Amino acid sequence: MKVKLTTTTEKMFITSRAKQVLLLANINNVADLLSQSKVDLMKLPNLGKKSVNDICKMLSISNLSLLNDWKTIDDYVEDTSLKEKFAQSALQGLL
């Protein structure tokens, strides 16, 4: 089911529990949802990883995604020393 920005939370194709959590967080439609990130959603009580993934899948059907829904360096690099080198070079670029 494709969604529009005006699609209400009640009409989203997600679990009833996820709908209730979103409504309690004052996320009433898709436009409100798009202003959230995965991290924001994971902080909501009783909304777990599976629900967040289901929400992302529902949005992706309509070519939409959550705010800042990009991978971080942690998703690509497992070696801690490489992460530290990356962080140091990023900081030097800011100075």
Side-chain angles (χ1 to χ4, degrees):
M1 171 184 140
K2 286 199 171 194
V3 294
K4 298 179 182 180
L5 294 178
T6 56
T7 301
T8 62
T9 301
E10 292 92 0
K11 293 184 180 181
M12 291 181 200
F13 193 66
I14 54 177
T15 64
S16 298
R17 182 182 195 154
K19 289 177 188 180
Q20 288 301 315
V21 171
L22 293 177
L23 289 171
L24 287 173
N26 223 13
I27 300 171
N28 300 309
N29 56 41
V30 172
D32 294 339
L33 187 58
L34 296 179
S35 68
Q36 306 294 314
S37 69
K38 280 185 181 181
V39 173
D40 295 331
L41 293 181
M42 290 295 292
K43 289 179 183 176
L44 297 176
N46 300 318
L47 194 69
K49 190 175 185 178
K50 184 180 182 318
S51 294
V52 172
N53 286 335
D54 290 345
I55 289 168
C56 291
K57 286 177 189 175
M58 185 250 333
L59 292 172
S60 69
I61 291 170
S62 300
N63 293 323
L64 299 171
S65 65
L66 296 172
L67 181 68
N68 296 327
D69 193 17
W70 299 297
K71 293 187 175 194
T72 64
I73 187 66
D74 293 334
D75 295 321
Y76 296 105
V77 180
E78 292 181 18
D79 184 351
T80 307
S81 63
L82 288 176
K83 288 180 191 178
E84 290 172 5
K85 288 178 185 176
F86 178 82
Q88 287 172 354
S89 64
L91 284 175
Q92 287 176 352
L94 293 174
L95 300 176

